[in-house]
Amino acid sequence: MKKLFLTSALCAVTVLSAQIDLSSTRFGLTAGGTYSRVRNAHNPSGARYAAYGGFLAMIPVDGNDQFFIQPEVEYFGAGETGKDKDAKSSPGYDAVYANNYISVPIYFKGYFSEAESEFFAMARPKFNFLIHNNVTDAPVIYTIDGDPVTGVNGKAASFNFALGFGIGFSYKRQLEITARYDLGLSNTYPGLMNEVSSDPNVQKKKSEQVLSLGLSYIFQ
């Protein structure tokens, strides 16, 4: 069974490679807003609103102008805050755990038909490289000689991996609006698992999840 799976995967890659038309690649710009949370992380925990922006390439993988590989390079804001509506008086409510990445998603993109203006769906692996981790107003974990120390609270991993899905609408294959969801598969805050706490969520993986809505402009 394993050999059959590997053989099938190799055949699929070979066929796909044969269909890729790099000479017809189109380039574009993409930008939008993000809504992110991190599961099983800080307490209190709330959403962070940020933005993304970057560049894309659309590479045809068939002769019908319907299926594409779409790699992107983005500046991408995610993370969380402490603004849980049920914890307004709790320490850490004003905390911000801002994770900013250079993100490299690689989409497989399919339009629902060959029409110029049409809906499309996307799926991708996504590779996030942390470039800036800014933590403000985090609650104090303990003190040393009277000085507050926040320890590992909020220190994000330098790399994480996610799976992304999206759906959108294209106007004449040039101006596109896309809604996306990214499910983090890596542990965003591995250091938090070392904290001493009675909360059972401390030992669970910290999954970063992001909803985004944006516009793309694809050059002719």
Side-chain angles (χ1 to χ4, degrees):
M1 180 64 70
K2 184 177 180 181
K3 290 183 178 179
L4 178 61
F5 175 78
L6 291 175
T7 301
S8 300
L10 181 60
C11 289
V13 170
T14 301
V15 171
L16 187 62
S17 299
Q19 296 294 319
I20 291 176
D21 182 8
L22 293 176
S23 65
S24 298
T25 299
R26 296 172 61 195
F27 298 93
L29 303 174
T30 184
T34 62
Y35 168 97
S36 60
R37 302 188 75 123
V38 184
R39 183 180 295 173
N40 303 319
H42 303 97
N43 187 14
S45 175
R48 181 191 180 214
Y49 295 90
Y52 74 90
F55 306 91
L56 64 85
M58 279 182 55
I59 307 170
V61 294
D62 72 337
N64 298 320
D65 199 30
Q66 191 169 356
F67 298 103
F68 297 82
I69 293 174
Q70 183 169 304
E72 300 182 7
V73 178
E74 302 170 346
Y75 175 86
F76 187 81
E80 66 173 344
T81 66
K83 295 192 181 300
D84 183 334
K85 64 180 181 179
D86 297 323
K88 290 186 178 180
S89 59
S90 299
Y93 179 78
D94 293 322
V96 177
Y97 309 93
N99 303 332
N100 300 311
Y101 303 96
I102 292 297
S103 179
V104 184
I106 304 174
Y107 286 102
F108 179 77
K109 179 179 184 179
Y111 292 89
F112 293 173
S113 77
E114 298 175 24
E116 277 193 336
S117 296
E118 180 58 284
F119 288 94
F120 59 86
M122 311 168 77
R124 65 180 177 181
K126 185 177 183 184
F127 308 92
N128 295 320
F129 302 90
L130 187 72
I131 58 172
H132 187 230
N133 177 212
N134 186 34
V135 180
T136 57
D137 295 321
V140 174
I141 297 176
Y142 56 87
T143 62
I144 297 178
D145 296 330
D147 295 324
V149 179
T150 57
V152 297
N153 200 347
K155 184 174 177 58
S158 60
F159 170 80
N160 70 50
F161 174 75
L163 289 180
F165 308 91
I167 189 166
F169 181 78
S170 178
Y171 177 70
K172 294 187 176 181
R173 302 292 180 93
Q174 190 164 22
L175 183 63
E176 299 187 343
I177 183 170
T178 310
R180 313 185 304 187
Y181 170 69
D182 298 325
L183 173 63
L185 300 183
S186 301
N187 194 343
T188 303
Y189 298 112
L192 289 181
M193 301 180 74
N194 298 324
E195 291 191 9
V196 178
S197 174
S198 59
D199 187 347
N201 290 329
V202 166
Q203 298 304 315
K204 295 180 180 179
K205 184 173 69 174
K206 321 303 179 186
S207 173
E208 190 168 52
Q209 300 169 44
V210 186
L211 290 170
S212 60
L213 180 67
L215 288 171
S216 299
Y217 182 82
I218 302 163
F219 301 106
Q220 294 288 2

